[in-house]
Amino acid sequence: MLIISKIHSLLAILMIQMPSPGDIELPLPLAESDLKLFLVILFLAHILFVNLMVGGSLLAVIFEIIGLSNPKYDALGKSVSRTITVNKSLAVVLGVGPLLCISLAYTIHFYSANALTGYGWIAVVPLVTLAFLLAYVHKYSWDRWTGDDKRAHIMVGIGAALLFLCVPFIFLTNINLMLFPADWVNVKGFFSSLRVGNVFPRFFHFLTASLAITGLFLTWWFGRKKFPVEESLPGFTRPGLRRLFYRLVFYLTLAQLIFGPMLLFTLPAEGITAVMLIVIFSGVAIVIALLIALSREIDAADTSIGKSFVLVALLLTTVVLAMGTGRHLYREGALAYHKTIVTNQTDTFHSIVVATQMRLAAGLGAGDALATGPTGESVFRNCAACHAVDKVLAAPPLTDIYSIYKGDPQGIVAWARAPGKKRPEFTQMPSFAHLGDEQLELVAEYMLQKGSGASQTTSGADSGS
């Protein structure tokens, strides 16, 4: 603690002596609560198109492989591949908003995780670029790379799909790491960060969600009356395509009932709250309703399949909203303690700087390092730079404070929490609310005790003279 206090003092002196302003106010452009609300909304919009990009790239190459033995699936894979690049562009554009929000609302945690994942995080840009190039090559060479070149074309599709999986995996690892500051000291790069939290259950949950959402999107895409099924996808019917992708959504949603609990039960406990659990289990209840609705659609006659699509889409959207909200609540719970520590340390350091500035302005030198402690005497070190027992430093002595607050330590506590400016000869005292009521009460009692003792000594000396 002594070393840390000395470092604080040296930094304070350094800041004061810097030729440029030591304190540059950088307020948030929005209220923190608004930033977090925008973060949740914009992230869900962004992740929707990431899901479609990842799910589309996987399904396109899977259908192409099936198409080697059943050609009608090759045409289906080609049609799916046409949606990937559009969804990719929207995912990138809509990713700017949540990236800005998270870098503002969780600056220390987000950028610390970026630095700790090192080359893995930096690799995102070239990997995204390469994935985009392969996706375009795969899309535009579909009718050219046939015959002996078909397998090479499939390998390009597999390469694009794997890269599209790698990029969200790195993002997910980074976001996971920022939730657990206590583990940062053990992280030595991207691969060691995989041991923090529960990266892999999160990724499996993301992967199945991506395929389920893409399945529902393709149910709508190929189920539109404007889509020329007979011309573009010979061998398929519109009801048959709807049923195919409804089944995909059904089984992947069913898989979420496995990966979801796996994700929940492997979460470190520090972020789990009752509210978060209520939100998550509400989402699980809606998943059951979603499965029932999907089952009815799959079993419906060709003439009526698709009539409950809006209901299915609304149920899936509600599930996504519930899981997104639960994810945010977990993040808040996991970071609450660390954010409190950071806030207290920042306030303490700011107080040290201000107190040292006051001493230097009064020509008293920087003084000793300031620190907090469990006793009134140790807490008083936060005040000793400016307050002496019976002489004026940069603020009134304790004898004066005793004469004002005798028998009223809570008055000192209230003043320390929200000080005003009473005397023009002194610089306004900074708030010490960050110390908390317990420490302020300790130091208030100590100050009154020291102030009263000094008064008695002084009075006795005066009487003797």
Side-chain angles (χ1 to χ4, degrees), residues 429-444:
M429 173 179 154
S431 171
F432 283 81
H434 61 279
L435 294 177
D437 284 353
E438 183 179 354
Q439 292 195 59
L440 290 177
E441 287 169 4
L442 285 171
V443 76

Side-chain angles (χ1 to χ4, degrees), residues 304-373:
S304 58
I305 188 171
K307 290 185 177 178
S308 297
F309 177 82
V310 174
L311 173 63
V312 171
L314 285 175
L315 288 171
L316 185 58
T317 302
T318 308
V319 172
V320 171
L321 287 172
M323 297 307 166
T325 304
R327 184 189 300 269
H328 175 71
L329 291 173
Y330 181 81
R331 178 167 56 232
E332 285 293 292
L335 294 178
Y337 178 67
H338 188 259
K339 290 172 72 175
T340 301
I341 293 175
V342 171
T343 301
N344 288 342
Q345 290 292 328
T346 302
D347 289 343
T348 299
F349 182 73
H350 181 70
S351 299
I352 291 172
V353 171
V354 173
T356 307
Q357 287 173 331
M358 291 169 65
R359 284 184 60 91
L360 291 175
L364 299 172
D368 293 333
L370 308 177
T372 60

Side-chain angles (χ1 to χ4, degrees), residues 292-303:
I292 294 171
L294 283 167
S295 178
R296 290 178 177 173
E297 278 286 86
I298 293 169
D299 293 337
D302 284 358
T303 53

Side-chain angles (χ1 to χ4, degrees), residues 106-125:
Y106 301 95
T107 307
I108 293 174
H109 305 94
F110 181 65
Y111 285 108
S112 296
N114 291 352
L116 289 169
T117 49
Y119 291 118
W121 178 248
I122 295 173
V124 165
V125 173

Side-chain angles (χ1 to χ4, degrees), residues 50-51 54-58 161 164-165 168 172 200-214 252 255-256 259 327:
V50 172
N51 289 149
V54 171
S57 64
L58 287 170
F164 278 133
L165 285 172
L172 182 150
F200 291 99
R202 279 171 176 260
F203 186 69
F204 291 137
H205 191 265
F206 161 80
L207 181 58
T208 49
S210 294
L211 289 168
I213 289 172
T214 304
L252 289 165
Q256 292 285 48
F259 292 116
R327 184 189 300 269

Side-chain angles (χ1 to χ4, degrees), residues 187-200:
V187 174
K188 309 295 181 186
F190 176 76
F191 290 104
S192 64
S193 70
L194 299 178
R195 295 195 296 267
V196 177
N198 59 345
V199 174
F200 291 99

Side-chain angles (χ1 to χ4, degrees), residues 204-231:
F204 291 137
H205 191 265
F206 161 80
L207 181 58
T208 49
S210 294
L211 289 168
I213 289 172
T214 304
L216 190 64
F217 165 73
L218 294 176
T219 304
W220 168 78
W221 183 256
F222 293 122
R224 293 173 300 147
K225 291 182 180 178
K226 292 182 179 179
F227 186 84
V229 174
E230 291 77 13
E231 296 176 17

